Amino acid sequence: MQIGIVGLGKMGGNISVRLTRHGHDVVAYDRDPAVTAKVCGQGEGGRCTPATGLADMVGKLSGRKIIWLMLPAGEVTEQAVQELDGLMGKGDIIIDGGNSFYKDDIRRATELAKKGIDYVDVGTSGGVWGLERGYCMMYGGTKEATDHIDPILSALAPGLGDIARTPGRDKPGFDPRAERGYLHCGPAGSGHFVKMVHNGIEYGIMQAFAEGFDVMKSKNSTELPENQRFDLNMADIAEVWRRGSVVSSWLLDLSAGALAGNPDLSDYKGDVADSGEGRWTIEAAIEESVPVPVITASLFTRFRSRTGNNFAEKMLSAMRFGFGGHIEGTNN
C-alpha cells in the first residue's frame, strides 16, 4: 500500500522505515528537510519518497489517500488535521498515531465524516525499539476504514513472535489480531482511550519499581542500626529479578541496563516529565467514579520530582529514556 507519514521523529521515522521493509510505499514529511532526507535514505528499495509539505504529500499519493500523523498531541496535531481536511476528500483516511486526547478524536472524526473523510486513532506503543520489535497498537475507527488499513497495521505489529499463547484463546469471540500485537478497540477515540489507560498503568508500574529500588539503595543509611545496614548492589538485583521473577518485564530490563551502565544513575537529574496520558486517565476515572490511587500518586510524584528529587526519580528518568528516548525537562 501507499501511505504518507507526517512527523519523522523517534517513532515516525522508524515507522516509515519499517513499512518500506514490508513492501509498502511511503511518502514522508518532516518540518526539518534534513530529517526527511535521512529517513528516506534509510527506506528500503527506494520505497520512501520525500514531501515538502502536506499539500505536496497529498499530491504524491494516489487512489484512496492515507496519511498517518505522528505528531505531538495538541495544537500541532490539530492544525495538521485541519489542513488535511481542506486537502483530502471522500474515502480518504487520516490516522493519528500520536497520543491525542480521545475526546479530541471523537470530535475530529465527527467533523471529518461530514466530508466523507475517515479518521482512525492509533494508540502506538513501542518507543524507539519499534523498528525491530514492532509496535503494539490499539486503534479506533469504522470497521471499513480500519479493515482497509489492516495491511499497514499488520506490517507495523510485532506478530506472534515467541510469546507463549494464552490458554483458552482458541475459543470463539476473541480477535486474533490481539495475539499479533494490534487490536481494533471500537469507534473513533477508543484506541487512544485504551492507550491512555495503558500509559496511566505504566506510570504506576514505573513508580513501584522506582520506590522499591530507592528503599533498597537506602538500606545502608547511617540512620539505621549498624547491624541492619545492607550495602546492596542495585544492578545485580535488577539482573537477578529479570531471571524468572514474577516482576520481570521490559521496564525491569531497561532498569537493569541503566544500572549496569551507571550504577548511581548520576547521568540523570530525576526531573520526571509527564506527557498527559496520566492526567487524562485520572480525569476519566473521576468521570466514571473509579478510584485510581496508585496512578494518581505516581503522577503527583512526577510533579514533586521537579522541585527536588532522589534515587527513585532518577530510576523513573532512566526508564523513560530507555523505552522512549525521553529527555529530562521535556514532555516528549
Side-chain angles (χ1 to χ4, degrees):
M1 296 184 75
Q2 187 187 37
I3 184 172
I5 307 290
V6 180
L8 307 176
K10 293 185 287 284
M11 291 180 68
N14 284 345
I15 284 172
S16 300
V17 174
R18 185 174 174 90
L19 286 174
T20 65
R21 290 182 178 180
H22 286 76
H24 297 285
D25 295 314
V26 173
V27 179
Y29 167 68
D30 189 273
R31 64 181 180 178
D32 185 342
V35 172
T36 303
K38 179 181 177 181
V39 170
C40 285
Q42 294 172 337
E44 294 196 6
R47 298 189 189 95
C48 190
T49 303
T52 57
L54 298 186
D56 184 45
M57 173 177 286
V58 172
K60 288 178 176 177
L61 294 170
S62 58
R64 187 175 186 180
K65 304 178 194 302
I66 306 168
I67 293 183
W68 181 304
L69 302 177
M70 206 64 191
L71 301 169
E75 189 59 29
V76 174
T77 295
E78 189 69 30
Q79 290 179 358
V81 171
Q82 291 179 7
E83 184 174 350
L84 289 174
D85 184 16
L87 295 170
M88 300 173 76
K90 185 176 182 179
D92 292 340
I93 301 173
I94 297 174
I95 303 170
D96 180 4
N99 283 324
S100 288
F101 185 41
Y102 76 97
K103 291 183 181 179
D104 289 335
D105 295 317
I106 296 171
R107 171 179 51 79
R108 291 170 187 159
T110 301
E111 289 300 314
L112 291 168
K114 296 176 183 178
K115 192 175 176 180
I117 300 173
D118 285 302
Y119 180 91
V120 178
D121 55 292
V122 181
T124 311
S125 183
V128 296
W129 304 87
L131 177 59
E132 304 299 334
R133 290 168 57 108
Y135 299 90
C136 174
M137 293 169 291
M138 303 132 267
Y139 54 99
T142 67
K143 184 178 185 304
E144 189 278 329
T146 55
D147 283 351
H148 182 75
I149 64 171
D150 189 78
I152 296 291
L153 302 172
S154 178
L156 292 174
L160 286 171
D162 58 1
I163 298 175
R165 299 190 70 184
T166 300
R169 282 202 62 89
D170 53 347
K171 294 180 292 188
F174 296 115
D175 189 332
R177 291 170 295 191
E179 287 188 307
R180 295 166 54 202
Y182 69 115
L183 178 68
H184 182 210
C185 298
S190 63
H192 277 154
F193 181 82
V194 173
K195 176 57 161 53
M196 175 190 79
V197 177
H198 163 283
N199 283 22
I201 293 170
E202 180 185 288
Y203 277 38
I205 296 173
M206 291 173 66
Q207 186 63 35
F209 272 129
E211 291 177 5
F213 276 95
D214 200 15
V215 170
M216 292 187 290
K217 183 174 177 60
S218 299
K219 188 57 176 168
N220 64 353
S221 170
T222 56
E223 296 181 5
L224 295 172
E226 188 171 356
N227 66 347
Q228 294 180 22
R229 299 175 198 167
F230 304 146
D231 188 11
L232 302 172
N233 187 302
M234 298 298 101
D236 284 347
I237 291 169
E239 188 61 33
V240 75
W241 282 0
R242 295 181 63 220
R243 313 291 173 170
S245 163
V246 295
V247 297
S248 59
S249 65
W250 187 29
L251 288 173
L252 181 60
D253 294 345
L254 296 171
S255 299
L259 289 165
N262 182 214
D264 62 1
L265 301 181
S266 58
D267 293 342
Y268 301 92
K269 293 186 299 180
D271 296 345
V272 188
D274 67 284
S275 53
E277 297 89 345
R279 302 184 189 212
W280 298 337
T281 301
I282 294 166
E283 290 173 2
I286 293 171
E287 292 174 354
E288 300 163 14
S289 299
V290 174
V292 287
V294 172
I295 296 173
T296 302
S298 65
L299 176 65
F300 287 179
T301 298
R302 293 191 178 200
F303 294 166
R304 191 204 57 75
S305 76
R306 299 165 208 167
T307 60
N309 43 64
N310 54 23
F311 189 78
E313 275 78 52
K314 292 182 180 182
M315 282 291 298
L316 289 174
S317 286
M319 282 185 273
R320 292 186 84 241
F321 180 77
F323 68 72
H326 301 292
I327 307 299
E328 289 176 329
T330 73
N331 290 328
N332 295 330

